[in-house]
């Protein structure tokens, strides 16, 4: 029903191993189960380890397994001789604690890949998980069974209503104030520290597991204290986003939804970006735009081209000399020398997209020197040269032969 996606393969392998473990009288729900599922996915789809689907799926199940393997958690949420009310309260507490842990475990991955973190997911899961487990899935199984006799239509209607309720809950939680927090792109090293710390805590069962809090805390502090970029430039140089006093402002008003989402997410901003021409500190014409922004205790002047039309060369060169950063989608003349950085078509072809943080004077580029990605430097096929030797072809000319025979 869902296809061979990474979470589906993991769930299928886990279900088969659980059935085999129960048949052999072994404990089924352990971290070895997660390791076996990860090994199967890596053998089938090794490239998936770099994607968010693999990381989110296995991070969630690893956190759940590690939590419920802890002796204190196992003793508290294990079987007890108690009434139904206390048992229900204990189950709700277990569900809430598990949801909170999963949210914490998934937050670094979600922020790293999508620059957003959900805050209310654990509370929504108190309703969503029982609804999916006890309503949606049994109804789907019953509808598939009745489809063999052509009687599944009413049950499928109930399935649709239950899924609508699940989506309604998701929309309500997502639209609540403060439900999603946008953060700028974090350094890869900070993400790696958090992942290493989380894996260390999950794998160890002794007091050594506490050492995992050190890299986890360092990575989290590093990610949270990373300042958002002040200037974002796309790889083609057409779109520029500048952080102004009013928010993130874009150079061009005509930009696709993908470009807008990419720039706002990398800038750690919620909502639609502003237009740079509407800002009080910007001076824009049809072809050029100049704005001043603060950074590192001084004002930075940014000059960007807005069209492909030529402008008077003397005025443009004077504007280049007075600017700290110049951005353009076309190749600029060599006499255009800004005070700090020039990002034109020739430079962006080597660097790709660029993020500038003026407070620290840092420049982050998509492409780095020494990269050998196959999609960047595709292999060149060996050319084979074939030589053709001309041949003299004699055509049969019936008319010439007729004239020759009459002449004889």
């Amino acid at each position: 029903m869902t296809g061979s996606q990474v979470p589906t393969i993991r769930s299928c392998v886990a279900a088969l191993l659980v059935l085999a473990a129960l048949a052999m009288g072994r404990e089924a729900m352990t971290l070895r189960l997660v390791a076996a599922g990860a090994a199967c996915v890596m053998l089938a789809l090794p490239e998936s380890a770099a994607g968010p689907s693999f990381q989110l799926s296995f991070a969630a199940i690893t956190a759940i397994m590690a939590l419920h393997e802890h002796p204190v958690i196992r003793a508290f949420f294990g079987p007890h001789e108690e009434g139904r009310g206390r048992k229900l309260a204990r189950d709700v507490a277990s569900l809430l604690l598990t949801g909170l842990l999963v949210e914490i475990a998934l937050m670094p991955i979600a922020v790293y890949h999508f620059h957003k973190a959900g805050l209310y997911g654990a509370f929504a899961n108190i309703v969503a998980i029982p609804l999916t487990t006890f309503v949606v899935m049994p109804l789907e199984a019953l509808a598939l069974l009745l489809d063999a006799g052509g009687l599944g239509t009413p049950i499928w209607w109930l399935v649709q209503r239950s899924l609508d309720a699940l989506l309604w809950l998701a929309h309500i939680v997502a639209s609540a104030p403060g439900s999603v927090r946008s953060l700028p792109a974090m350094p890869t090293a900070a993400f790696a520290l958090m992942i290493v710390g989380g894996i260390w805590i999950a794998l160890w069962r002794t007091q050594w597991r506490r050492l995992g809090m050190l890299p986890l805390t360092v990575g989290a502090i590093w990610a949270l204290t990373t300042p958002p970029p002040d200037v974002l430039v796309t790889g083609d140089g057409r779109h520029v986003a500048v952080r102004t006093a009013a928010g993130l402002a874009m150079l061009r008003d005509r930009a696709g939804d993908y470009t807008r989402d990419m720039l706002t997410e990398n800038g750690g901003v919620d909502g639609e970006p502003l237009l740079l021409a509407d800002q009080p500190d910007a001076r824009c014409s049809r072809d050029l735009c100049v704005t001043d922004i603060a950074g590192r205790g001084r004002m930075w002047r940014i000059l960007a081209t807005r069209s492909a039309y030529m402008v008077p060369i003397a005025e443009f060169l004077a504007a280049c000399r007075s600017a700290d950063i110049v951005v353009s989608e076309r190749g600029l003349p060599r006499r255009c020398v800004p005070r700090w950085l020039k990002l034109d078509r020739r430079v962006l072809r080597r660097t790709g997209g660029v993020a500038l943080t003026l407070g620290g004077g840092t420049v982050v580029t998509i492409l780095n020197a020494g990269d050998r990605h196959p999609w960047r430097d595709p292999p060149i096929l060996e050319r084979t040269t074939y030589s053709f030797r001309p041949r003299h072809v004699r055509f049969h000319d019936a008319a010439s032969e007729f004239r020759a025979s009459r002449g004889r």
Side-chain angles (χ1 to χ4, degrees), residues 150-359:
L151 304 174
T153 302
I155 308 302
W156 283 119
W157 183 85
L158 294 176
V159 171
Q160 183 62 48
R161 301 287 78 77
S162 60
L163 291 177
D164 290 340
L166 193 63
L167 292 175
W168 174 82
L169 175 65
H171 287 302
I172 289 296
V173 173
S175 60
S179 60
V180 178
R181 175 71 183 275
S182 295
L183 295 172
M186 71 170 69
T188 303
F191 175 65
L193 284 173
M194 287 187 283
I195 294 299
V196 169
I199 293 176
W200 183 279
I201 293 173
L203 295 183
W204 283 93
R205 295 187 177 182
T206 61
Q207 302 296 332
W208 286 93
R209 74 189 317 168
R210 298 179 181 177
L211 294 178
M213 290 299 299
L214 180 60
L216 182 62
T217 304
V218 171
I221 295 175
W222 189 357
L224 292 174
T225 56
T226 299
D230 297 300
V231 181
L232 292 166
V233 183
T234 58
D236 56 3
R238 285 183 52 83
H239 301 285
V240 181
V242 180
R243 188 173 301 279
T244 64
L248 196 68
M250 291 188 62
L251 174 68
R252 299 172 185 263
D253 54 349
R254 295 183 179 180
D257 293 338
Y258 174 77
T259 302
R260 289 173 174 270
D261 293 341
M262 178 186 64
L263 292 175
T264 54
E265 287 177 2
N266 282 273
V269 176
D270 289 324
E272 285 291 320
L274 306 173
L275 183 60
L276 186 59
D278 297 337
Q279 305 309 306
D281 296 332
R283 300 170 299 282
C284 298
S285 65
R286 186 188 63 175
D287 303 315
L288 298 175
C289 199
V290 179
T291 184
D292 297 323
I293 60 175
R296 205 196 300 178
R298 56 169 292 224
M299 298 300 294
W300 296 75
R301 175 161 294 182
I302 301 172
L303 170 66
T305 61
R306 302 184 70 190
S307 70
Y309 296 106
M310 302 299 293
V311 296
I313 186 63
E315 297 179 9
F316 184 72
L317 293 179
C320 283
R321 288 191 295 269
S322 64
D324 297 287
I325 304 168
V326 177
V327 182
S328 178
E329 63 177 310
R330 59 177 185 259
L332 298 178
R334 298 186 182 276
R335 290 182 293 170
C336 173
V337 182
R339 288 194 288 257
W340 183 44
L341 186 62
K342 180 168 74 172
L343 298 173
D344 62 350
R345 182 176 57 190
R346 301 183 186 90
V347 177
L348 292 172
R349 189 183 294 119
R350 300 192 305 268
T351 63
V354 178
L356 306 177
T357 304
L358 302 180

Side-chain angles (χ1 to χ4, degrees), residues 23-35:
M24 298 171 60
R26 302 286 298 275
E27 184 179 0
M29 307 302 290
T30 64
L31 285 175
R32 297 185 183 90
L33 179 69
V34 183

Side-chain angles (χ1 to χ4, degrees), residues 351-384:
T351 63
V354 178
L356 306 177
T357 304
L358 302 180
T362 59
V363 180
V364 179
T365 61
I366 297 296
L367 303 178
N368 300 309
D371 288 346
R372 291 294 181 267
H373 300 303
W375 54 85
R376 182 186 174 192
D377 298 320
I380 300 176
L381 298 177
E382 183 179 355
R383 294 183 179 180
T384 304

